[in-house]
Amino acid sequence: MGSENAALVDGKIETSEKKGPYNVFRDSPLRYMGYANEIGESFRYQFPKFVAPSYMLAFGYCFLDSASTGYDEWNKEDNGKSERSREVRTALATFDTLLWQTFASVTIPGATINMIVRASRFAVSRVALPVTIVKWLPTAIGIGSIPLIIHPIDDLVDYSMDNSIRKWMKEEETDKQK
């Protein structure tokens, strides 16, 4: 997939490319299920009833990845490296993954594609073009932009979380170890 998906594990930020076992939700084409809502946003004006189910698919993916991360964290050996209990580590890993997926796979990309399609519709409506092109070109532009926005958004969310919530969660553990 090319991007690094970070998660807070045992109080440390880990990425799926640098280390860790294979994660079907992040290291396979299933990762693109998180972008189902962008397809829905692209087709919003042609098939408005398609939008809500596309968000349900994307959030379903987010919840499954979060549950899988929590399950994996629950089944990890403690090694005595963390002061946190198994329950707290599991809850934090699950929360971290759900928050990351919600921003990187659903919220930010959905809003971005919506704006791209809306701006494209505005632009093509101002030019004398055949009706078919006016109707479908913004959708094609929206779908075509998905591969271009994935990695910058993933990186933005990683950076934002690394410098906010993950930093805070790590400091919480550091404070407890003192």
Side-chain angles (χ1 to χ4, degrees):
M1 300 294 106
S3 92
E4 293 182 353
N5 295 311
L8 186 70
V9 178
D10 290 333
K12 297 176 191 139
I13 298 168
E14 291 189 0
T15 61
S16 62
E17 282 190 352
K18 289 183 180 173
K19 52 185 155 181
Y22 176 79
N23 182 329
V24 70
F25 293 100
R26 297 182 188 189
D27 302 324
S28 75
L30 187 57
R31 170 74 177 101
Y32 293 104
M33 183 58 73
Y35 297 97
N37 62 306
E38 281 73 57
I39 300 296
E41 286 294 345
S42 295
F43 283 99
R44 176 179 287 277
Y45 295 100
Q46 287 82 4
F47 307 106
K49 290 184 180 181
F50 186 59
V51 176
S54 72
Y55 273 90
M56 290 168 45
L57 279 174
F59 272 118
Y61 163 83
C62 295
F63 288 125
L64 287 173
D65 185 23
S66 300
S68 174
T69 300
Y71 179 80
D72 291 345
E73 186 65 31
W74 180 263
N75 290 315
K76 269 189 188 171
E77 292 295 321
D78 185 11
N79 307 3
K81 292 181 180 180
S82 178
E83 292 290 320
R84 292 181 169 151
S85 70
R86 178 186 200 187
E87 292 82 4
V88 170
R89 288 191 326 269
T90 300
L92 288 174
T94 303
F95 173 74
D96 180 84
T97 301
L98 183 59
L99 188 62
W100 189 91
Q101 288 289 6
T102 298
F103 283 125
S105 297
V106 181
T107 309
I108 297 171
T112 303
I113 295 298
N114 183 293
M115 286 188 282
I116 289 169
V117 171
R118 187 175 286 194
S120 300
R121 285 177 57 84
F122 178 79
V124 299
S125 70
R126 303 287 184 244
V127 180
L129 294 170
V131 174
T132 306
I133 292 176
V134 171
K135 181 177 180 179
W136 290 101
L137 185 60
T139 300
I141 291 169
I143 292 170
S145 65
I146 294 170
L148 303 175
I149 68 168
I150 290 173
H151 301 298
I153 291 173
D154 286 358
D155 293 344
L156 171 69
V157 173
D158 278 333
Y159 179 81
S160 299
M161 287 183 65
D162 289 349
N163 290 289
S164 61
I165 189 76
R166 289 180 180 150
K167 195 178 241 184
W168 173 77
M169 288 191 291
K170 189 174 181 181
E171 286 173 4
E172 285 288 311
E173 181 171 20
T174 305
D175 289 345
K176 287 181 180 181
Q177 290 177 353
K178 289 180 182 177

